Amino acid sequence: MPIIVNLDVMMAKRKMSLNELSEKVDLTLANLSILKTGKAKAIRFSTLEAICKVLECQPGEILEYREE
Amino acid sequence: MKSKTKPILRILHIVSWIIFIGLCVRAGAILYSFFVSLFLNTGGAKNLYAGLNLSSLFMYDRVQYCIVVSLIAFISALKAYVFYLVIKIFLKINFVHPFSDTVATLVSRIGYIALFIGILSIIGMSYCEWLGRKGVDFTDLHQFMGAGVEHLLFAGVIVFISQLFKRGIEIQSENELTV
């Protein structure tokens, strides 16, 4: 898929672990892992909002369009 | 799921088992009487199963008799197989995640087998009508080989449902992968 999820990059920048993020955004580790590995087919605005709030970033920093 | 649905499905499961056993018995009994009529007692052709009288055909031509009885037994066996697949669906279905590849395969297989039964029944009935015009008398044949058109209609509905099921699998997997 040409949409790349840069969640791991943002987590590394904020020095935050997956466990910590999952607790703060109230998402299961399994779902966060699906998002991080790029297996997700869709993301809810509420999830994106929570991630942006916790990581103090913009949606564009998490999602990126790259032509295949 | 509604509280009434589960008991209804349970009843349908039990009914499917009863019909499956009944159809197995029918197919087995027809085959058994067929072999008895061929090798032991020719009078067996008068009542193959539940009043199925093919003695006229037996007297007319043994090869034609073998073809017709094999067709009737084969159709009964296929009907039993359809109910076996229905039982398998009842055993495999999970109402939390109802759309699975296994159930979709079973539903589409039921559709294609029903289509095959319908075609076989129509061919069989036409064949028997042709034999009837040559003077062979058939009684009570319709309940064993009839309902070809009904089976075709049933097959059409089931194949349509199986296509809907495939779309359901896609939607369910999309829903599961939505974070």
Side-chain angles (χ1 to χ4, degrees):
Chain A
M1 207 159 67
I3 300 291
I4 311 293
V5 182
N6 291 319
L7 190 64
D8 44 354
V9 178
M10 285 311 295
M11 279 164 58
K13 276 185 187 170
R14 302 288 184 261
K15 293 189 174 67
M16 199 179 278
S17 69
L18 203 64
N19 274 321
E20 199 182 340
L21 184 66
S22 93
E23 277 168 22
K24 285 185 175 168
V25 296
D26 199 24
L27 266 178
T28 61
L29 264 176
N31 274 344
L32 261 186
S33 180
I34 287 171
L35 190 63
K36 205 182 117 194
T37 51
K39 285 179 190 161
K41 287 204 173 178
I43 178 165
R44 289 189 191 93
F45 278 155
S46 56
T47 310
L48 194 59
E49 185 190 326
I51 291 171
C52 288
K53 198 174 176 181
V54 171
L55 294 176
E56 294 168 345
C57 64
Q58 291 299 313
E61 289 175 86
I62 295 170
L63 301 175
E64 183 193 338
Y65 173 74
R66 209 181 288 165
E67 213 159 338
E68 278 178 321
Chain B
M1 197 166 54
K2 285 179 186 171
S3 58
K4 272 185 183 175
T5 318
K6 269 198 171 171
I8 290 171
L9 286 171
R10 198 156 187 82
I11 291 167
L12 281 176
H13 189 182
I14 295 165
V15 169
S16 306
W17 264 111
I18 293 168
I19 297 173
F20 169 67
I21 294 166
L23 287 168
C24 284
V25 168
R26 177 199 266 195
I30 289 170
L31 278 177
Y32 179 75
S33 316
F34 169 61
F35 286 114
V36 167
S37 67
L38 274 184
F39 304 112
L40 296 173
N41 179 8
T42 51
K46 279 182 188 164
N47 190 0
L48 276 171
Y49 178 76
L52 177 65
N53 184 354
L54 293 180
S55 56
S56 172
L57 181 63
F58 186 81
M59 298 297 176
Y60 176 73
D61 186 352
R62 283 200 182 188
V63 178
Q64 312 271 28
Y65 171 75
C66 291
I67 293 170
V68 171
V69 178
S70 306
L71 205 58
I72 292 169
F74 188 53
I75 288 171
S76 292
L78 280 177
K79 283 179 185 172
Y81 184 55
V82 165
F83 277 92
Y84 168 72
L85 293 176
V86 172
I87 290 165
K88 255 181 128 176
I89 287 179
F90 279 118
L91 292 173
K92 300 261 176 186
I93 202 155
N94 167 12
F95 284 98
V96 181
H97 301 283
F99 300 103
S100 66
D101 282 327
T102 321
V103 176
T105 312
L106 288 171
V107 172
S108 70
R109 197 176 292 168
I110 288 175
Y112 291 121
I113 291 171
L115 184 75
F116 189 50
I117 292 173
I119 293 167
L120 267 185
S121 298
I122 290 171
I123 292 171
M125 279 312 282
S126 308
Y127 180 58
C128 290
E129 276 169 22
W130 174 73
L131 285 170
R133 280 197 293 273
K134 291 190 165 190
V136 180
D137 178 42
F138 290 104
T139 47
D140 282 340
L141 189 66
H142 196 266
Q143 72 170 65
F144 294 94
M145 216 164 21
V149 180
E150 287 88 335
H151 271 99
L152 286 183
L153 181 73
F154 170 68
V157 173
I158 297 294
V159 169
F160 178 69
I161 289 172
S162 77
Q163 295 307 310
L164 288 182
F165 226 83
K166 280 178 188 163
R167 182 73 189 115
I169 292 170
E170 282 173 30
I171 292 170
Q172 186 178 278
S173 99
E174 225 170 76
N175 188 43
E176 279 166 2
L177 290 173
T178 296
V179 179

